Amino acid sequence: MTAKLYCFGESGNAYKAALTLELAGVDWEPVFVDFFNGEARAEPFKQINAMGEVPVLVDGDLTLTQSGVIQQYVVDTTGKFGGAPEDKYDVMRWVLWDNHKMSSQAGPLRFLMNFLPEDKRPQEVIKFMQGRLNAAYAVLDGHLRGRDWIVGDGMTAADLSCCSYLFYDEPFGFDRADWPNIDAWLTRISEVPGWKHPYDLMQRGLPA
Amino acid sequence: MTAKLYCFGESGNAYKAALTLELAGVDWEPVFVDFFNGEARAEPFKQINAMGEVPVLVDGDLTLTQSGVIQQYVVDTTGKFGGAPEDKYDVMRWVLWDNHKMSSQAGPLRFLMNFLPEDKRPQEVIKFMQGRLNAAYAVLDGHLRGRDWIVGDGMTAADLSCCSYLFYDEPFGFDRADWPNIDAWLTRISEVPGWKHPYDLMQRGLPA
């Protein structure tokens, strides 16, 4: 049975799940959630996920939310992207770090800078979040110096989590040219057979 | 051998790890990191954790960072706080949600409102983060309606992650009286034998 991923193109968190499903070869299809018109925070969707968020994966009787959980499910069911057994905690470490320090800032910041009307963009908040994100980019770029992948010698859920927002073109203060190790790593990921840009995996909520 | 947890009292993220170790009965001791004087971001500590963060657990040859990873290690080694096997993904879901939506806001917000000089507190940022946190409290409070614990019928890493910042007394816009289900749940946790307040588990960096 085809697994259904509730998602929309602009969500980097949904992209983490979608790209992991896609590259692992899982039989899945996207179900569009009209986030920008409030669908994720309205009652019918909250019956699926009370957190009011995408992504949600429905696979038969199983409903899973949080991108890191969906990634772990893909690891458990396909054997892919979990890394070596001894690297389990290290993969989890970077997925948690991404959720805590990177995506939790990059998602809202990109929203504020691109999807809010220009006269409603809170400049002090934007500057604060960019500062926090620059510290996160420095950690990631430093870690990738001399490494092809975040953990071990192949792509894992850690890469597929940390890369997600960095593939979007809308400006949010991230410039690949500033971070050469991140830049090379993003190129490496995009050259993996089957890789797709978020807007080629999931329907967008807003016009291009 | 006694495991060492690098931490300081004001860190809710360190508290998640410390409380989990303590309640699981692990032989551990705190190692104070002088965060407020920059120790976590200086080179000697970065040799332990390049992310420049507490908590870090050193147990023999193993070094683990990220509170959620340390919690998972406690679950794996003691068999405690993992919940029922079928609840594995749900426990992980709430740990990730806490990292992404709650602690990632509550930690910096509490810092801005309490540990920065009064004339340096960015009011627009504070208001923005409080708004995001209120949405998170609503999700948690709604989920706890009619439930004793976040997942299943006993305390898990999900509870021990989500509760952490909410036990601190410094004001950051969270009032237990506003959230009756969270309030009752925090009382429930604090009545578990062996529970301790963060400042009774770890040395504070700033005077009381």
Side-chain angles (χ1 to χ4, degrees):
Chain A
M1 191 159 54
T2 305
K4 291 180 192 306
L5 185 75
Y6 290 80
C7 59
F8 61 98
E10 288 86 350
S11 168
N13 294 313
Y15 181 48
K16 297 174 202 175
L19 186 60
T20 305
L21 289 161
E22 182 74 8
L23 293 178
V26 174
D27 175 20
W28 75 284
E29 63 185 16
V31 178
F32 176 67
V33 177
D34 193 358
F35 174 84
F36 294 103
N37 286 311
E39 186 180 345
R41 294 174 301 284
E43 211 38 57
F45 184 80
K46 282 195 167 178
Q47 294 294 322
I48 301 171
N49 183 14
M51 290 169 178
E53 300 176 332
V54 299
V56 178
L57 185 75
V58 177
D59 190 13
D61 291 338
L62 195 64
T63 296
L64 298 174
T65 96
Q66 293 292 319
S67 60
V69 170
I70 297 170
Q71 289 188 309
Q72 186 60 48
Y73 178 67
V74 173
V75 167
D76 292 344
T77 52
T78 72
K80 292 180 184 167
F81 307 132
E86 65 271 23
D87 289 335
K88 161 186 146 174
Y89 292 123
D90 215 21
V91 171
M92 194 178 175
R93 173 189 183 218
W94 283 97
V95 169
L96 279 160
W97 177 84
D98 168 52
N99 275 269
H100 199 152
K101 286 289 164 80
M102 206 155 67
S103 296
S104 60
Q105 307 298 312
L109 175 61
R110 195 165 134 269
F111 182 87
L112 297 177
M113 289 180 67
N114 294 278
F115 307 136
L116 271 192
E118 279 201 41
D119 61 344
K120 299 217 169 152
R121 298 177 187 170
Q123 294 307 319
E124 187 181 282
V125 176
I126 287 170
K127 200 176 151 194
F128 178 81
M129 295 179 106
Q130 284 181 334
R132 284 180 62 79
L133 273 169
N134 278 334
Y137 301 147
V139 167
L140 181 59
D141 195 72
H143 179 75
L144 286 167
R145 191 175 303 129
R147 283 187 177 92
D148 283 348
W149 306 102
I150 291 180
V151 179
D153 55 7
M155 193 164 66
T156 68
D159 302 288
L160 292 165
S161 192
C162 292
C163 74
S164 66
Y165 278 99
L166 307 182
F167 275 122
Y168 287 94
D169 299 318
E170 298 90 357
F172 59 98
F174 172 72
D175 186 342
R176 285 171 67 150
D178 295 336
W179 308 101
N181 301 301
I182 294 177
D183 182 42
W185 165 76
L186 289 173
T187 298
R188 205 170 292 127
I189 294 172
S190 69
E191 288 172 351
V192 168
W195 178 86
K196 288 182 183 167
H197 186 277
Y199 295 149
D200 295 326
L201 273 179
M202 303 177 291
Q203 182 184 328
R204 300 173 72 144
L206 294 174
Chain B
M1 192 159 51
T2 304
K4 292 180 192 306
L5 185 75
Y6 290 80
C7 59
F8 60 98
E10 288 86 350
S11 168
N13 293 313
Y15 181 48
K16 296 174 202 177
L19 187 60
T20 306
L21 289 161
E22 182 74 9
L23 293 178
V26 174
D27 175 19
W28 74 284
E29 64 185 15
V31 177
F32 177 67
V33 177
D34 193 358
F35 173 84
F36 294 104
N37 286 310
E39 185 180 346
R41 295 174 301 284
E43 210 39 57
F45 184 80
K46 282 195 166 180
Q47 295 294 323
I48 301 172
N49 183 13
M51 289 169 178
E53 300 174 333
V54 300
V56 177
L57 184 75
V58 177
D59 190 14
D61 291 338
L62 195 64
T63 297
L64 297 174
T65 96
Q66 293 292 319
S67 60
V69 169
I70 296 169
Q71 289 188 310
Q72 186 60 49
Y73 177 67
V74 173
V75 168
D76 291 344
T77 52
T78 71
K80 292 180 183 165
F81 307 131
E86 65 271 23
D87 289 335
K88 160 186 149 176
Y89 292 124
D90 216 20
V91 172
M92 193 178 176
R93 174 190 183 219
W94 283 97
V95 169
L96 279 159
W97 176 84
D98 169 51
N99 274 270
H100 199 152
K101 286 290 165 76
M102 205 155 71
S103 295
S104 60
Q105 308 297 313
L109 175 61
R110 195 165 134 272
F111 181 88
L112 297 177
M113 289 179 69
N114 294 278
F115 307 136
L116 271 192
E118 279 202 41
D119 61 344
K120 299 219 169 150
R121 297 176 187 170
Q123 294 306 319
E124 188 181 280
V125 176
I126 287 170
K127 201 176 150 192
F128 178 80
M129 293 179 107
Q130 284 181 334
R132 284 179 64 79
L133 273 169
N134 277 333
Y137 301 146
V139 166
L140 181 59
D141 195 73
H143 178 76
L144 286 167
R145 191 175 304 128
R147 284 187 177 92
D148 284 348
W149 306 102
I150 292 179
V151 179
D153 56 7
M155 194 165 65
T156 67
D159 302 288
L160 293 166
S161 192
C162 291
C163 75
S164 66
Y165 279 99
L166 308 182
F167 276 122
Y168 286 94
D169 298 318
E170 299 89 359
F172 59 99
F174 171 72
D175 186 341
R176 286 170 67 151
D178 295 336
W179 308 102
N181 302 300
I182 293 177
D183 182 42
W185 165 77
L186 289 174
T187 299
R188 205 170 292 126
I189 293 172
S190 68
E191 288 172 351
V192 169
W195 177 87
K196 288 183 184 166
H197 187 277
Y199 295 149
D200 296 326
L201 274 179
M202 304 177 291
Q203 183 185 328
R204 299 173 73 146
L206 294 175

